[in-house]
Amino acid sequence: MQREEFLQQLWLDYIHQHTDLGALRLWPTDTPAEYLALLTLNQSPFAATDLLPTLGHLGFRPAQRYAMADRGLLVTLLAPPDDGPWLILAELQMGTLSREPRARLAKLVGNTHPQDARGKNLLTRGRPWAMPDWDTYRTLCEAHPLAGWLSVMGPGMHHAGFDCERIGSGIASLDEALEQCGFKGSEDRQYGLLPVSPMLDYRFYPTCSRRIAFADGDEHRIPQGGLALLQKRLSNDHERTVELLLPHHTRCEIT
């Protein structure tokens, strides 16, 4: 699999899960995302240490690392070899969960089909284990919302972020257009997957909840991710907008 194929598979899996976003026509469909946010967890074969060599073979280079203890996340920002989307690889640290939810999540991951546990399939084939029952999902959500998300979605793309400058419209007008399409954006910089630097104007739009059948047969509507818009507050020609996304105080060097 080449890099473009990998990105296409990520995008197709994302659109399959978020058909309301796939139907949007507020900007040209070939507008590249500024970044793709990927969520995983620190259990093999989905740990960042397993994924980074594979992403490196596709041309992505680790540029910065971040630690967010309050969210239980370690984050790696990966630069592409061209002007395409960057990757934000966020890894949930299972040690931040208490014993029971950690054991439930580990059991799900342990039941991964071998075909879904190698190569580029790790992030592009949807949930690689059996659907949890509703009680397991609720237990994981109460322990950590991202643990619940991972249990039903599997490691993969959480949301796409678009730079308003690339789209060619201001964030205010795009926000109004999205609201007319039924998307209610949040300016809360702690909302969504990651905290956001004050150097950017930012909106996160959760997608419409979708009814999903759980392992015990009942169906429930649950949140599944979303879309982000970002815009530099100050013009800066030397850095991509995504490089300013995460708060500077969360930057670290992991050895």
Side-chain angles (χ1 to χ4, degrees):
M1 182 185 291
Q2 301 300 312
R3 186 171 56 87
E4 288 303 321
E5 182 186 357
F6 170 72
L7 292 174
Q8 183 181 47
Q9 288 300 317
L10 274 180
W11 185 258
L12 289 175
D13 187 47
Y14 172 68
I15 291 301
H16 174 72
Q17 300 293 341
H18 307 288
T19 53
D20 48 348
L21 292 179
L24 283 177
R25 293 296 181 267
L26 299 180
W27 51 79
T29 56
D30 60 352
T31 302
E34 177 69 0
Y35 70 84
L36 306 178
L38 310 176
L39 179 60
T40 190
L41 72 172
N42 65 331
Q43 180 167 324
S44 185
F46 304 103
T49 52
D50 298 307
L51 297 174
L52 288 174
T54 297
L55 296 174
H57 289 315
L58 295 173
F60 291 99
R61 173 183 56 83
Q64 293 291 345
R65 293 181 174 86
Y66 302 82
M68 299 161 192
D70 59 329
R71 298 193 177 211
L73 292 177
L74 292 178
V75 177
T76 305
L77 187 63
L78 296 117
D82 56 16
D83 200 35
W86 287 48
L87 299 183
I88 298 177
L89 182 64
E91 181 189 60
L92 177 66
Q93 305 302 294
M94 292 180 62
T96 62
L97 305 176
S98 58
R99 180 179 297 180
E100 182 184 354
R102 183 169 68 245
R104 289 199 184 198
L105 186 55
K107 183 177 179 181
L108 286 174
V109 178
N111 289 329
T112 298
H113 191 283
Q115 185 177 351
D116 293 324
R118 60 176 182 266
K120 287 79 174 180
N121 289 345
L122 292 175
L123 294 169
T124 61
R125 290 175 64 92
R127 188 186 64 256
W129 48 73
M131 188 71 176
D133 58 42
W134 177 245
D135 179 66
T136 294
Y137 171 73
R138 289 302 309 158
T139 297
L140 290 172
C141 271
E142 289 169 6
H144 196 304
L146 296 181
W149 189 95
L150 282 164
S151 72
V152 298
M153 302 296 286
M157 189 166 151
H158 180 272
H159 71 274
F162 284 85
D163 183 359
C164 295
E165 183 177 346
R166 284 197 170 198
I167 294 174
S169 299
I171 195 167
S173 61
L174 289 170
D175 179 65
E176 182 179 353
L178 280 164
E179 186 166 355
Q180 291 176 356
C181 293
F183 293 90
K184 181 64 176 176
S186 172
E187 296 182 58
D188 184 349
R189 295 179 181 277
Q190 299 296 319
Y191 190 69
L193 178 61
L194 303 163
V196 176
S197 165
M199 297 180 71
L200 301 178
D201 286 318
Y202 175 84
R203 304 283 192 283
F204 184 83
Y205 302 85
T207 50
C208 299
S209 60
R210 188 162 63 93
R211 188 175 293 277
I212 292 182
F214 284 77
D216 47 12
D218 54 345
E219 295 186 353
H220 300 272
R221 290 188 177 275
I222 62 171
Q224 295 178 284
L227 173 78
L229 291 180
L230 46 157
Q231 179 175 287
K232 291 179 182 178
R233 288 188 165 177
L234 298 174
S235 178
N236 186 326
D237 297 330
H238 303 293
E239 293 180 290
R240 285 275 295 264
T241 304
V242 64
E243 295 181 79
L244 306 175
L245 178 69
L246 296 170
H248 190 270
H249 71 270
T250 63
R251 185 178 295 184
C252 66
E253 187 59 41
I254 303 173
T255 59

